[in-house]
């Protein structure tokens, strides 16, 4: 079973920041938080990952709470092309292992 | 391109036929994964290779499913005597060797959409 909880769907206005929450209250100390997204008819796309510090790359920012029990993926200026299903995943550090996907959050960007 | 390539993009087969799905991982990637994605669901793990060794096949739903990666590069997922419930998108992903800083992300292809009539 997936070890994360996400809202099934969210809306965001184009140009605004999209903040996608994820609960991972049972996360272990050796588990990273990963985010992937899947645009319609495409394979999942890696976005970002982190252990305990906040992370930022060209796609998004990842904010992890101090207790690591939840996180937020931030798309700073959402565009219509960001419409996708977003998956929050936890994975063990240093282990090359399968990804267990949950149902994710379906993000709709509204024009 | 430099990404994971899967072929065919679409496959239609009659129930009972055998099918073979191909995955070309990113060059040099040691690890290769196959996933199955039913309509409206997240991908589900099928099997995992490290080079040519199949280290985990716990997700294969039945003995009709078989995967191979004989030279540690291209992989083929074969489904024998297909059934309607095999209809799904089959995704392939690859990743490079684990680094000192932990996990390497998996890079996915766009999948093969299999329809069994």
């Amino acid at each position: 079973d997936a070890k994360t909880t996400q809202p099934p769907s969210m809306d965001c206005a184009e140009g605004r920041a999209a903040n996608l929450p994820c609960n991972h209250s049972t996360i272990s100390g050796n588990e990273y938080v990963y985010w992937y997204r899947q645009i319609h008819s495409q394979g999942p796309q890696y976005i970002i990952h982190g252990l305990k510090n906040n992370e930022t790359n060209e796609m998004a920012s990842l904010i992890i709470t101090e207790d690591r029990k939840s996180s937020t993926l931030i798309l700073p200026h959402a565009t219509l092309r960001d419409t996708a299903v977003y998956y929050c995943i936890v994975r063990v550090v240093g282990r090359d292992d399968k990804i267990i996907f949950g149902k994710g959050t379906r993000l709709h960007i509204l024009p | 391109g430099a990404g994971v390539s899967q072929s065919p993009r679409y496959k239609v087969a009659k129930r009972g036929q055998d099918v073979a799905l191909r995955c070309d991982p990113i060059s040099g990637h040691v690890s290769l994964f196959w996933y199955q994605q039913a309509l409206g669901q997240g991908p589900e793990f099928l099997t995992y290779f490290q080079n040519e060794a199949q280290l985990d096949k716990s997700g294969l739903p039945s003995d009709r499913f078989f995967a191979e990666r004989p030279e540690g590069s291209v992989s083929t997922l074969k489904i024998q005597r297909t059934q309607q419930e095999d209809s799904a998108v089959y995704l392939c992903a690859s990743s490079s060797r684990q680094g000192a800083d932990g996990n390497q992300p998996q890079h996915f292809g766009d999948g093969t959409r299999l329809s069994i009539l």
Side-chain angles (χ1 to χ4, degrees):
Chain A
D1 291 335
K3 298 171 67 174
T4 63
T5 304
Q6 300 177 253
S9 67
M10 292 182 61
D11 292 340
C12 179
E14 189 178 17
R16 305 297 292 269
N19 296 278
L20 292 95
C22 179
N23 181 287
H24 31 79
S25 58
T26 61
I27 194 170
S28 300
N30 64 345
E31 289 181 316
Y32 278 92
V33 179
Y34 272 72
W35 284 83
Y36 282 79
R37 74 178 182 184
Q38 189 171 22
I39 295 169
H40 182 63
S41 295
Q42 297 183 19
Q45 176 190 23
Y46 165 78
I47 301 173
I48 198 167
H49 73 282
L51 185 61
K52 53 184 178 182
N53 297 321
N54 297 337
E55 303 287 344
T56 296
N57 63 21
E58 65 279 3
M59 290 183 68
S61 295
L62 174 61
I63 308 298
I64 303 174
T65 58
E66 192 167 343
D67 63 8
R68 304 213 317 126
K69 293 185 176 183
S70 66
S71 61
T72 301
L73 179 74
I74 301 172
L75 308 178
H77 304 287
T79 71
L80 296 177
R81 289 175 294 181
D82 293 321
T83 293
V85 177
Y86 287 76
Y87 296 99
C88 171
I89 296 149
V90 295
R91 299 182 69 202
V92 175
V93 172
R95 201 166 82 187
D96 194 16
D97 206 353
K98 58 183 177 282
I99 296 174
I100 299 176
F101 290 88
K103 295 187 182 298
T105 295
R106 186 171 297 276
L107 177 66
H108 298 99
I109 306 300
L110 307 176
Chain B
V4 176
S5 177
Q6 292 188 247
S7 60
R9 190 79 170 88
Y10 302 93
K11 176 69 178 178
V12 179
K14 293 182 179 179
R15 187 165 57 91
Q17 289 183 328
D18 298 347
V19 297
L21 313 180
R22 176 187 170 106
C23 173
D24 283 83
I26 293 173
S27 178
H29 276 193
V30 168
S31 301
L32 186 145
F33 301 80
W34 283 98
Y35 295 82
Q36 180 190 59
Q37 187 170 25
L39 191 64
Q41 303 295 316
E44 293 191 354
F45 169 78
L46 294 176
T47 188
Y48 159 54
F49 290 86
Q50 190 174 93
N51 295 306
E52 68 278 4
Q54 189 174 21
L55 299 186
D56 186 351
K57 53 182 180 179
S58 62
L60 296 176
S62 76
D63 58 7
R64 296 186 294 104
F65 286 71
F66 172 76
E68 60 183 5
R69 194 186 185 199
E71 298 179 358
S73 177
V74 172
S75 177
T76 303
L77 176 67
K78 298 179 180 178
I79 309 173
Q80 297 176 323
R81 304 181 302 282
T82 52
Q83 303 294 317
Q84 284 192 320
E85 62 262 28
D86 299 335
S87 295
V89 175
Y90 291 85
L91 294 162
C92 177
S94 69
S95 65
S96 58
R97 186 177 299 278
Q98 296 301 303
D101 62 347
N103 301 60
Q104 295 296 315
Q106 292 181 19
H107 299 271
F108 285 79
D110 286 337
T112 293
R113 182 176 296 276
L114 177 64
S115 298
I116 305 300
L117 305 179

